Amino acid sequence: QKEVEQDPGPLSVPEGAIVSLNCTYSNSAFQYFMWYRQYSRKGPELLMYTYSSGNKEDGRFTAQVDKSSKYISLFIRDSQPSDSATYLCALQAGANNLFFGTGTRLTVIP
Amino acid sequence: DAGVTQSPTHLIKTRGQQVTLRCSPKSGHDTVSWYQQALGQGPQFIFQYYEEEERQRGNFPDRFSGHQFPNYSSELNVNALLLGDSALYLCASSLGGLDTGELFFGEGSRLTVL
């Protein structure tokens, strides 16, 4: 079993839709939860960073963490064509390396 | 403010050869981590350098080695290349280790092994 499971998609939505991206994990030691966005042929860029259960909002993006279910989500409201990218969840246990999901490829259709 | 820079951006090697990839961290950062991202996969941790020493290592063979210089820049060396080493190699910088998880990535070096 992988440390982090993420549906690879691909996911296609119309412009303006609400997008839900999810990851599950098995190791309860994970304390820090991140979402990265990766455009084609580019490096990942940090979108959201949380360290506790609950919601964190930043503009059109909301990160949600449920430690009891070992489930994290990223919601994108009013999706735009510029949001088309691969979204990677990443988890960290203390001062250790990041464990990434496989990434979900999202396309927002104008 | 310069972000993380990597070189070269693309390179092609043949099996058995050796390759060196280079990384300059974001200004003010002192820690460099290297990740391997195979096509369609998430990045996998190779190792991390801090204070010119390898501080952590992922599940990669000894063919993968690295170095950090006094100016915090870093190199990744891969010996005896295999076809399976074809991937995007990402360098990420941070400050003082991975405690916060706020890694800043470069655009990567895409290695093709023929």
Side-chain angles (χ1 to χ4, degrees):
Chain A
Q1 185 184 10
K2 286 185 179 180
E3 296 270 9
V4 183
E5 299 279 356
Q6 182 176 10
D7 185 343
L11 181 62
S12 291
V13 300
E15 184 175 352
I18 296 174
V19 176
S20 172
L21 305 167
N22 311 293
C23 287
T24 59
Y25 62 97
S26 55
N27 188 347
S28 58
F30 286 129
Q31 300 175 293
Y32 303 99
F33 307 91
M34 287 137 281
W35 286 93
Y36 282 83
R37 177 174 62 195
Q38 186 174 25
Y39 290 113
S40 181
R41 300 192 175 276
K42 300 288 186 183
E45 59 175 320
L46 181 65
L47 270 181
M48 301 287 284
Y49 163 71
T50 59
Y51 56 87
S52 60
S53 285
N55 293 351
K56 181 177 182 179
E57 189 173 318
D58 184 1
R60 297 185 294 109
F61 298 90
T62 299
Q64 189 174 78
V65 175
D66 182 348
K67 287 187 176 181
S68 61
S69 301
K70 298 188 178 63
Y71 190 87
I72 65 172
S73 301
L74 178 70
F75 298 96
I76 307 174
R77 291 185 299 279
D78 187 25
S79 55
Q80 302 295 310
S82 59
D83 294 329
S84 298
T86 296
Y87 290 81
L88 297 150
C89 63
L91 286 71
Q92 182 186 11
N96 291 311
N97 71 81
L98 299 184
F99 289 87
F100 283 86
T102 55
T104 300
R105 187 173 176 180
L106 170 68
T107 301
V108 180
I109 303 166
Chain B
D1 180 21
V4 179
T5 58
Q6 292 186 244
S7 64
T9 53
H10 297 83
L11 69 166
I12 300 173
K13 294 285 187 178
T14 57
R15 281 178 297 175
Q17 285 190 310
Q18 179 263 344
V19 67
T20 297
L21 308 177
R22 296 175 178 83
C23 171
S24 292
K26 180 179 169 64
S27 178
H29 284 184
D30 58 7
T31 303
V32 172
S33 302
W34 287 92
Y35 285 78
Q36 180 195 64
Q37 187 176 24
L39 196 61
Q41 300 296 316
Q44 285 198 305
F45 177 71
I46 303 175
F47 42 53
Q48 180 194 60
Y49 278 85
Y50 175 66
E51 293 187 339
E52 301 181 51
E53 290 191 358
E54 183 182 292
R55 199 164 83 162
Q56 293 187 63
R57 188 179 184 92
N59 189 25
F60 279 79
D62 292 344
R63 298 186 297 109
F64 289 78
S65 63
H67 188 76
Q68 185 178 36
F69 300 93
N71 67 353
Y72 307 122
S73 67
S74 177
E75 288 183 349
L76 164 66
N77 301 291
V78 187
N79 295 323
L81 286 168
L82 304 173
L83 295 179
D85 294 331
S86 295
L88 180 68
Y89 288 85
L90 294 163
C91 170
S93 75
S94 56
L95 186 59
L98 288 178
D99 297 63
T100 66
E102 293 188 86
L103 300 187
F104 291 84
F105 283 86
E107 296 201 346
S109 294
R110 186 166 297 280
L111 171 64
T112 302
V113 181
L114 302 177

